[in-house]
Amino acid sequence: YPHSLVKASNLYVADPFPLVSVRGLQEVAMQPPAELRYSVRSDWLRAQDGGKEFMEKFVQLRFDEGTQRFLTTYCGERDSWKEVLRDAARSALKIFVANTTANGLLRAGQMHVLSTEQAGILLEDRLVARKNGGHLLDVGAGDGTVTNELRPLFESVSCTEVNPVLVRSLRQHGFRVWHSDTVSTHAMGADLKFDVISALNIFDRCDEPITLLDTMVQHLHPVTGLLLVSIVIPVHASVEGSLGRWREPQQELPLPLYTKPPSFEQGVLDVARMLQNLGLRVLYVIWLRLLSSLVRRE
């Protein structure tokens, strides 16, 4: 697999309230591509301030069947002529619309953050406690590829998405969708609560990440609500504007200013501290792999 196929991503299961811990991991007998490792430098982390506590929260995942399905479906062998035509169409569309819209129109650019099996490991105790799985809100759900991985674990799934083309795709999947770039209390109603709210790879791509985080917490069930938050490391916050132009967000994430790009472990530790400083209790930290269908398998 080419290196550009894989970006480092970490996922935090955060909770402003106490919660029981996750149970044992499932071993998957499968050999992942060399670049798809899920481990961290534990010795280095334990030596850092707060690193020992951090490692107690780290959950080791494995390359599994769900990840393999994504690679086989979206990154496997493809018709070269169809790829040439799609690339030409994407280039033409990007003259008039943003890159995300172009991918949505062409049904391209699918992303993989975590599989149903991996999410089930993280949420196992919560799913056992609520036999019907409860209610999920996926914020910034995109075309629904990632949301569909979470769907089997919940009784109902709702989404927010700002791009109108992707909103249409989500509705075709059968999801309830709010066309919004935030979690709107006005649109949803202050009394609407969710058991789990996921925000996967959006805090570095939205204008007001801190405000978004606050409104997400407001829509969690008291005591039992969970946040699933993933951020690409190293963090490079930017917002896609019209015609694919990128700009600085209106709010900055309260992260250290680095003189050089941090290691993955340092970046993860700083994001975990940021979430704790914002009043969240970090329960688990997981290294996941962000995969894109736009990079094909070699």
Side-chain angles (χ1 to χ4, degrees):
Y1 296 81
H3 179 70
S4 55
L5 173 66
V6 182
K7 295 182 179 179
S9 179
N10 58 294
L11 185 144
Y12 303 84
V13 182
D15 187 3
F17 311 99
L19 180 71
V20 294
S21 61
V22 73
R23 286 200 282 267
L25 299 179
Q26 298 174 355
E27 293 289 335
V28 180
M30 195 175 297
Q31 292 297 320
E35 292 167 349
L36 289 181
R37 69 184 183 92
Y38 293 80
S39 59
V40 296
R41 293 183 297 162
S42 57
D43 292 342
W44 182 91
L45 280 168
R46 287 193 179 94
Q48 308 307 305
D49 182 28
K52 184 177 180 180
E53 180 186 1
F54 174 91
M55 283 305 302
E56 291 174 355
K57 303 176 187 300
F58 182 74
V59 177
Q60 176 73 60
L61 295 182
R62 299 287 187 269
F63 180 83
D64 64 2
E65 293 179 1
T67 307
Q68 182 62 63
R69 282 195 301 270
F70 179 87
L71 293 173
T72 301
T73 302
Y74 294 109
C75 305
E77 296 297 327
R78 303 177 183 173
D79 187 308
S80 58
W81 281 108
K82 287 183 179 179
E83 287 302 299
V84 169
L85 291 174
R86 177 173 285 185
D87 289 344
R90 183 184 298 110
S91 297
L93 284 170
K94 286 168 63 175
I95 298 173
F96 306 101
V97 298
N99 185 59
T100 301
T101 302
N103 286 333
L105 290 170
L106 295 171
R107 299 185 182 276
Q110 290 82 6
M111 307 295 289
H112 178 85
V113 180
L114 78 169
S115 68
T116 304
E117 295 88 341
Q118 290 169 337
I121 291 171
L122 301 179
L123 300 172
E124 182 179 7
D125 287 311
R126 179 57 46 84
L127 297 174
V128 170
R130 295 183 62 92
K131 295 181 180 180
N132 59 5
H135 305 285
L136 168 72
L137 175 66
D138 190 19
V139 179
D143 69 349
T145 303
V146 177
T147 316
N148 270 326
E149 290 293 325
L150 299 173
R151 188 178 208 166
L153 303 175
F154 295 92
E155 179 185 3
S156 69
V157 179
S158 302
C159 308
T160 73
E161 174 55 48
V162 65
N163 188 288
V165 173
L166 300 182
V167 167
R168 182 179 64 188
S169 175
L170 289 166
R171 286 175 176 158
Q172 289 172 346
H173 282 294
F175 295 121
R176 180 185 185 185
V177 186
W178 284 277
H179 185 188
S180 174
D181 61 350
T182 185
V183 178
S184 173
T185 298
H186 174 73
M188 296 181 179
D191 294 333
L192 183 58
K193 306 294 183 183
F194 296 91
D195 299 288
V196 177
I197 298 180
S198 56
L200 306 179
N201 298 343
I202 65 167
F203 281 106
D204 57 346
R205 290 294 179 265
C206 66
D207 253 330
E208 299 180 338
I210 307 304
T211 301
L212 175 60
L213 188 62
D214 287 341
T215 56
M216 287 169 61
V217 171
Q218 291 173 26
H219 282 279
L220 280 174
H221 271 300
V223 181
T224 60
L226 276 179
L227 299 180
L228 295 180
V229 178
S230 69
I231 301 178
V232 174
I233 300 296
V235 177
H236 294 292
S238 58
V239 180
E240 185 181 28
S242 60
L243 302 182
R245 296 185 180 91
W246 293 87
R247 57 177 176 80
E248 296 291 321
Q250 296 179 17
Q251 285 182 347
E252 291 186 1
L253 291 167
L255 290 168
L257 295 176
Y258 305 108
T259 57
K260 61 180 181 179
S263 67
F264 177 78
E265 288 80 5
Q266 182 64 62
V268 172
L269 195 58
D270 289 338
V271 171
R273 288 168 176 164
M274 176 193 74
L275 293 173
Q276 290 173 330
N277 291 338
L278 292 172
L280 296 173
R281 178 171 176 247
V282 177
L283 299 178
Y284 318 120
V285 182
I286 301 95
W287 185 354
L288 297 171
R289 310 309 310 211
L290 174 59
L291 309 180
S292 171
S293 67
L294 293 179
V295 182
R296 80 177 170 84
R297 183 175 177 176
E298 299 292 351

